[in-house]
PDB file of all heavy atoms in Angstrom:
ATOM      1  N   ARG E 370     154.703 119.241  87.115  1.00  0.00           N
ATOM      2  CA  ARG E 370     154.473 119.490  85.677  1.00  0.00           C
ATOM      3  C   ARG E 370     155.415 120.567  85.149  1.00  0.00           C
ATOM      4  O   ARG E 370     156.013 120.405  84.075  1.00  0.00           O
ATOM      5  CB  ARG E 370     153.023 119.895  85.459  1.00  0.00           C
ATOM      6  CG  ARG E 370     152.675 120.212  84.023  1.00  0.00           C
ATOM      7  CD  ARG E 370     151.198 120.516  83.863  1.00  0.00           C
ATOM      8  NE  ARG E 370     150.896 121.004  82.534  1.00  0.00           N
ATOM      9  CZ  ARG E 370     150.684 120.236  81.476  1.00  0.00           C
ATOM     10  NH1 ARG E 370     150.753 118.923  81.588  1.00  0.00           N
ATOM     11  NH2 ARG E 370     150.408 120.755  80.293  1.00  0.00           N
ATOM     12  N   LYS E 372     158.120 121.637  86.769  1.00  0.00           N
ATOM     13  CA  LYS E 372     159.474 121.315  87.232  1.00  0.00           C
ATOM     14  C   LYS E 372     160.143 122.496  87.938  1.00  0.00           C
ATOM     15  O   LYS E 372     161.288 122.839  87.647  1.00  0.00           O
ATOM     16  CB  LYS E 372     160.342 120.846  86.047  1.00  0.00           C
ATOM     17  CG  LYS E 372     160.087 119.417  85.613  1.00  0.00           C
ATOM     18  CD  LYS E 372     160.550 118.446  86.656  1.00  0.00           C
ATOM     19  CE  LYS E 372     160.370 116.998  86.185  1.00  0.00           C
ATOM     20  NZ  LYS E 372     160.805 116.043  87.205  1.00  0.00           N
ATOM     21  N   HIS E 436     142.829 115.806  77.007  1.00  0.00           N
ATOM     22  CA  HIS E 436     144.250 115.793  77.355  1.00  0.00           C
ATOM     23  C   HIS E 436     144.734 114.354  77.457  1.00  0.00           C
ATOM     24  O   HIS E 436     144.182 113.547  78.205  1.00  0.00           O
ATOM     25  CB  HIS E 436     144.475 116.519  78.678  1.00  0.00           C
ATOM     26  CG  HIS E 436     145.919 116.651  79.051  1.00  0.00           C
ATOM     27  ND1 HIS E 436     146.718 117.675  78.589  1.00  0.00           N
ATOM     28  CD2 HIS E 436     146.720 115.880  79.824  1.00  0.00           C
ATOM     29  CE1 HIS E 436     147.935 117.531  79.073  1.00  0.00           C
ATOM     30  NE2 HIS E 436     147.961 116.449  79.823  1.00  0.00           N
ATOM     31  N   LYS E 437     145.772 114.014  76.735  1.00  0.00           N
ATOM     32  CA  LYS E 437     146.288 112.646  76.712  1.00  0.00           C
ATOM     33  C   LYS E 437     147.322 112.455  77.812  1.00  0.00           C
ATOM     34  O   LYS E 437     148.200 113.289  78.006  1.00  0.00           O
ATOM     35  CB  LYS E 437     146.911 112.332  75.356  1.00  0.00           C
ATOM     36  CG  LYS E 437     145.917 112.380  74.194  1.00  0.00           C
ATOM     37  CD  LYS E 437     146.601 112.046  72.885  1.00  0.00           C
ATOM     38  CE  LYS E 437     145.597 112.088  71.717  1.00  0.00           C
ATOM     39  NZ  LYS E 437     146.259 111.781  70.432  1.00  0.00           N
ATOM     40  N   GLY E 438     147.214 111.322  78.531  1.00  0.00           N
ATOM     41  CA  GLY E 438     148.207 111.000  79.542  1.00  0.00           C
ATOM     42  C   GLY E 438     147.934 111.696  80.862  1.00  0.00           C
ATOM     43  O   GLY E 438     146.876 112.281  81.105  1.00  0.00           O
ATOM     44  N   ASP E 439     148.947 111.611  81.741  1.00  0.00           N
ATOM     45  CA  ASP E 439     148.858 112.215  83.059  1.00  0.00           C
ATOM     46  C   ASP E 439     148.848 113.736  82.940  1.00  0.00           C
ATOM     47  O   ASP E 439     149.702 114.325  82.280  1.00  0.00           O
ATOM     48  CB  ASP E 439     150.049 111.748  83.910  1.00  0.00           C
ATOM     49  CG  ASP E 439     149.934 112.216  85.355  1.00  0.00           C
ATOM     50  OD1 ASP E 439     148.909 112.821  85.704  1.00  0.00           O
ATOM     51  OD2 ASP E 439     150.874 111.952  86.126  1.00  0.00           O
ATOM     52  N   ALA E 440     147.887 114.369  83.600  1.00  0.00           N
ATOM     53  CA  ALA E 440     147.771 115.828  83.494  1.00  0.00           C
ATOM     54  C   ALA E 440     148.942 116.549  84.145  1.00  0.00           C
ATOM     55  O   ALA E 440     149.249 117.681  83.791  1.00  0.00           O
ATOM     56  CB  ALA E 440     146.460 116.292  84.141  1.00  0.00           C
ATOM     57  N   PHE E 441     149.608 115.894  85.109  1.00  0.00           N
ATOM     58  CA  PHE E 441     150.702 116.544  85.832  1.00  0.00           C
ATOM     59  C   PHE E 441     152.082 116.066  85.366  1.00  0.00           C
ATOM     60  O   PHE E 441     153.083 116.388  85.988  1.00  0.00           O
ATOM     61  CB  PHE E 441     150.568 116.272  87.339  1.00  0.00           C
ATOM     62  CG  PHE E 441     149.265 116.720  87.900  1.00  0.00           C
ATOM     63  CD1 PHE E 441     148.282 115.803  88.230  1.00  0.00           C
ATOM     64  CD2 PHE E 441     148.996 118.069  88.087  1.00  0.00           C
ATOM     65  CE1 PHE E 441     147.071 116.213  88.757  1.00  0.00           C
ATOM     66  CE2 PHE E 441     147.788 118.486  88.603  1.00  0.00           C
ATOM     67  CZ  PHE E 441     146.825 117.554  88.932  1.00  0.00           C
ATOM     68  N   LYS E 442     152.117 115.296  84.277  1.00  0.00           N
ATOM     69  CA  LYS E 442     153.388 114.772  83.797  1.00  0.00           C
ATOM     70  C   LYS E 442     154.145 115.837  83.025  1.00  0.00           C
ATOM     71  O   LYS E 442     153.583 116.516  82.171  1.00  0.00           O
ATOM     72  CB  LYS E 442     153.141 113.549  82.900  1.00  0.00           C
ATOM     73  CG  LYS E 442     154.419 112.870  82.428  1.00  0.00           C
ATOM     74  CD  LYS E 442     154.090 111.662  81.568  1.00  0.00           C
ATOM     75  CE  LYS E 442     155.356 110.970  81.093  1.00  0.00           C
ATOM     76  NZ  LYS E 442     155.054 109.813  80.231  1.00  0.00           N
ATOM     77  N   HIS E 443     155.440 115.950  83.344  1.00  0.00           N
ATOM     78  CA  HIS E 443     156.276 116.932  82.652  1.00  0.00           C
ATOM     79  C   HIS E 443     156.760 116.350  81.335  1.00  0.00           C
ATOM     80  O   HIS E 443     157.109 115.169  81.248  1.00  0.00           O
ATOM     81  CB  HIS E 443     157.474 117.290  83.528  1.00  0.00           C
ATOM     82  CG  HIS E 443     158.416 118.271  82.887  1.00  0.00           C
ATOM     83  ND1 HIS E 443     158.055 119.562  82.611  1.00  0.00           N
ATOM     84  CD2 HIS E 443     159.696 118.133  82.485  1.00  0.00           C
ATOM     85  CE1 HIS E 443     159.083 120.191  82.059  1.00  0.00           C
ATOM     86  NE2 HIS E 443     160.082 119.347  81.975  1.00  0.00           N
ATOM     87  N   LYS E 444     156.787 117.172  80.310  1.00  0.00           N
ATOM     88  CA  LYS E 444     157.276 116.714  79.008  1.00  0.00           C
ATOM     89  C   LYS E 444     158.767 116.433  79.078  1.00  0.00           C
ATOM     90  O   LYS E 444     159.553 117.297  79.457  1.00  0.00           O
ATOM     91  CB  LYS E 444     157.015 117.773  77.941  1.00  0.00           C
ATOM     92  CG  LYS E 444     155.545 117.959  77.607  1.00  0.00           C
ATOM     93  CD  LYS E 444     155.395 118.967  76.495  1.00  0.00           C
ATOM     94  CE  LYS E 444     153.935 119.126  76.122  1.00  0.00           C
ATOM     95  NZ  LYS E 444     153.763 120.105  75.024  1.00  0.00           N
ATOM     96  N   ASN E 445     159.151 115.216  78.698  1.00  0.00           N
ATOM     97  CA  ASN E 445     160.576 114.899  78.693  1.00  0.00           C
ATOM     98  C   ASN E 445     161.190 115.246  77.336  1.00  0.00           C
ATOM     99  O   ASN E 445     160.529 115.732  76.432  1.00  0.00           O
ATOM    100  CB  ASN E 445     160.806 113.410  79.029  1.00  0.00           C
ATOM    101  CG  ASN E 445     159.999 112.495  78.117  1.00  0.00           C
ATOM    102  OD1 ASN E 445     159.765 112.819  76.960  1.00  0.00           O
ATOM    103  ND2 ASN E 445     159.573 111.352  78.649  1.00  0.00           N
ATOM    104  N   VAL E 446     162.473 114.947  77.210  1.00  0.00           N
ATOM    105  CA  VAL E 446     163.194 115.350  76.009  1.00  0.00           C
ATOM    106  C   VAL E 446     162.705 114.612  74.777  1.00  0.00           C
ATOM    107  O   VAL E 446     162.590 115.177  73.698  1.00  0.00           O
ATOM    108  CB  VAL E 446     164.711 115.113  76.210  1.00  0.00           C
ATOM    109  CG1 VAL E 446     165.494 115.464  74.959  1.00  0.00           C
ATOM    110  CG2 VAL E 446     165.209 115.924  77.390  1.00  0.00           C
ATOM    111  N   SER E 447     162.349 113.319  74.932  1.00  0.00           N
ATOM    112  CA  SER E 447     161.913 112.559  73.768  1.00  0.00           C
ATOM    113  C   SER E 447     160.603 113.116  73.213  1.00  0.00           C
ATOM    114  O   SER E 447     160.408 113.181  72.002  1.00  0.00           O
ATOM    115  CB  SER E 447     161.733 111.080  74.151  1.00  0.00           C
ATOM    116  OG  SER E 447     160.753 110.958  75.172  1.00  0.00           O
ATOM    117  N   GLU E 448     159.667 113.523  74.111  1.00  0.00           N
ATOM    118  CA  GLU E 448     158.418 114.108  73.643  1.00  0.00           C
ATOM    119  C   GLU E 448     158.664 115.424  72.917  1.00  0.00           C
ATOM    120  O   GLU E 448     158.020 115.725  71.911  1.00  0.00           O
ATOM    121  CB  GLU E 448     157.481 114.319  74.827  1.00  0.00           C
ATOM    122  CG  GLU E 448     156.958 113.016  75.402  1.00  0.00           C
ATOM    123  CD  GLU E 448     156.139 113.253  76.660  1.00  0.00           C
ATOM    124  OE1 GLU E 448     156.291 114.331  77.258  1.00  0.00           O
ATOM    125  OE2 GLU E 448     155.368 112.369  77.034  1.00  0.00           O
ATOM    126  N   GLU E 449     159.597 116.221  73.418  1.00  0.00           N
ATOM    127  CA  GLU E 449     159.914 117.478  72.756  1.00  0.00           C
ATOM    128  C   GLU E 449     160.565 117.234  71.396  1.00  0.00           C
ATOM    129  O   GLU E 449     160.336 117.984  70.448  1.00  0.00           O
ATOM    130  CB  GLU E 449     160.819 118.314  73.655  1.00  0.00           C
ATOM    131  CG  GLU E 449     160.097 118.790  74.919  1.00  0.00           C
ATOM    132  CD  GLU E 449     161.010 119.615  75.807  1.00  0.00           C
ATOM    133  OE1 GLU E 449     162.215 119.707  75.483  1.00  0.00           O
ATOM    134  OE2 GLU E 449     160.523 120.147  76.809  1.00  0.00           O
ATOM    135  N   CYS E 450     161.362 116.171  71.301  1.00  0.00           N
ATOM    136  CA  CYS E 450     161.984 115.837  70.008  1.00  0.00           C
ATOM    137  C   CYS E 450     160.907 115.447  68.987  1.00  0.00           C
ATOM    138  O   CYS E 450     160.990 115.824  67.819  1.00  0.00           O
ATOM    139  CB  CYS E 450     162.971 114.685  70.192  1.00  0.00           C
ATOM    140  SG  CYS E 450     164.488 115.156  71.058  1.00  0.00           S
ATOM    141  N   GLU E 451     159.889 114.690  69.456  1.00  0.00           N
ATOM    142  CA  GLU E 451     158.821 114.310  68.533  1.00  0.00           C
ATOM    143  C   GLU E 451     158.062 115.544  68.033  1.00  0.00           C
ATOM    144  O   GLU E 451     157.687 115.623  66.868  1.00  0.00           O
ATOM    145  CB  GLU E 451     157.863 113.355  69.239  1.00  0.00           C
ATOM    146  CG  GLU E 451     158.487 111.985  69.539  1.00  0.00           C
ATOM    147  CD  GLU E 451     157.511 111.091  70.274  1.00  0.00           C
ATOM    148  OE1 GLU E 451     156.388 111.563  70.551  1.00  0.00           O
ATOM    149  OE2 GLU E 451     157.874 109.950  70.590  1.00  0.00           O
ATOM    150  N   LEU E 452     157.855 116.500  68.923  1.00  0.00           N
ATOM    151  CA  LEU E 452     157.182 117.722  68.506  1.00  0.00           C
ATOM    152  C   LEU E 452     158.010 118.489  67.488  1.00  0.00           C
ATOM    153  O   LEU E 452     157.483 119.051  66.529  1.00  0.00           O
ATOM    154  CB  LEU E 452     156.896 118.608  69.724  1.00  0.00           C
ATOM    155  CG  LEU E 452     155.841 118.065  70.703  1.00  0.00           C
ATOM    156  CD1 LEU E 452     155.743 119.000  71.916  1.00  0.00           C
ATOM    157  CD2 LEU E 452     154.486 117.951  70.028  1.00  0.00           C
ATOM    158  N   LEU E 453     159.322 118.497  67.683  1.00  0.00           N
ATOM    159  CA  LEU E 453     160.192 119.202  66.746  1.00  0.00           C
ATOM    160  C   LEU E 453     160.215 118.505  65.381  1.00  0.00           C
ATOM    161  O   LEU E 453     160.301 119.156  64.345  1.00  0.00           O
ATOM    162  CB  LEU E 453     161.607 119.302  67.299  1.00  0.00           C
ATOM    163  CG  LEU E 453     161.799 120.253  68.491  1.00  0.00           C
ATOM    164  CD1 LEU E 453     163.234 120.147  69.004  1.00  0.00           C
ATOM    165  CD2 LEU E 453     161.485 121.681  68.087  1.00  0.00           C
ATOM    166  N   ILE E 454     160.140 117.178  65.399  1.00  0.00           N
ATOM    167  CA  ILE E 454     160.153 116.446  64.136  1.00  0.00           C
ATOM    168  C   ILE E 454     158.853 116.686  63.367  1.00  0.00           C
ATOM    169  O   ILE E 454     158.848 116.875  62.151  1.00  0.00           O
ATOM    170  CB  ILE E 454     160.347 114.930  64.399  1.00  0.00           C
ATOM    171  CG1 ILE E 454     161.770 114.711  64.942  1.00  0.00           C
ATOM    172  CG2 ILE E 454     160.131 114.124  63.133  1.00  0.00           C
ATOM    173  CD1 ILE E 454     162.027 113.283  65.388  1.00  0.00           C
ATOM    174  N   LYS E 455     157.716 116.673  64.114  1.00  0.00           N
ATOM    175  CA  LYS E 455     156.435 116.891  63.455  1.00  0.00           C
ATOM    176  C   LYS E 455     156.315 118.311  62.917  1.00  0.00           C
ATOM    177  O   LYS E 455     155.704 118.537  61.886  1.00  0.00           O
ATOM    178  CB  LYS E 455     155.291 116.610  64.433  1.00  0.00           C
ATOM    179  CG  LYS E 455     155.170 115.141  64.800  1.00  0.00           C
ATOM    180  CD  LYS E 455     154.029 114.932  65.795  1.00  0.00           C
ATOM    181  CE  LYS E 455     153.926 113.458  66.180  1.00  0.00           C
ATOM    182  NZ  LYS E 455     152.828 113.245  67.152  1.00  0.00           N
ATOM    183  N   GLU E 456     156.894 119.283  63.652  1.00  0.00           N
ATOM    184  CA  GLU E 456     156.790 120.672  63.243  1.00  0.00           C
ATOM    185  C   GLU E 456     158.060 121.055  62.481  1.00  0.00           C
ATOM    186  O   GLU E 456     158.736 120.221  61.897  1.00  0.00           O
ATOM    187  CB  GLU E 456     156.568 121.552  64.473  1.00  0.00           C
ATOM    188  CG  GLU E 456     155.275 121.213  65.198  1.00  0.00           C
ATOM    189  CD  GLU E 456     155.108 122.044  66.455  1.00  0.00           C
ATOM    190  OE1 GLU E 456     156.031 122.833  66.759  1.00  0.00           O
ATOM    191  OE2 GLU E 456     154.070 121.890  67.132  1.00  0.00           O
ATOM    192  N   LEU E 466     166.197 123.275  73.012  1.00  0.00           N
ATOM    193  CA  LEU E 466     166.007 121.921  73.492  1.00  0.00           C
ATOM    194  C   LEU E 466     167.230 121.430  74.238  1.00  0.00           C
ATOM    195  O   LEU E 466     167.139 120.825  75.312  1.00  0.00           O
ATOM    196  CB  LEU E 466     165.672 120.996  72.315  1.00  0.00           C
ATOM    197  CG  LEU E 466     165.561 119.500  72.632  1.00  0.00           C
ATOM    198  CD1 LEU E 466     164.427 119.275  73.623  1.00  0.00           C
ATOM    199  CD2 LEU E 466     165.325 118.703  71.369  1.00  0.00           C
ATOM    200  N   SER E 469     167.419 123.117  77.670  1.00  0.00           N
ATOM    201  CA  SER E 469     166.474 122.560  78.626  1.00  0.00           C
ATOM    202  C   SER E 469     166.927 121.184  79.106  1.00  0.00           C
ATOM    203  O   SER E 469     166.784 120.836  80.269  1.00  0.00           O
ATOM    204  CB  SER E 469     165.083 122.468  78.005  1.00  0.00           C
ATOM    205  OG  SER E 469     165.092 121.584  76.906  1.00  0.00           O
TER     206      SER E 469
END
Side-chain angles (χ1 to χ4, degrees):
R370 179 176 172 84
K372 282 292 183 181
H436 185 85
K437 297 181 180 179
D439 187 4
F441 303 106
K442 184 179 180 181
H443 179 66
K444 291 183 178 180
N445 54 32
V446 178
S447 60
E448 290 174 341
E449 293 180 354
C450 288
E451 292 178 359
L452 291 176
L453 289 175
I454 292 173
K455 291 179 181 180
E456 298 177 357
L466 175 62
S469 63

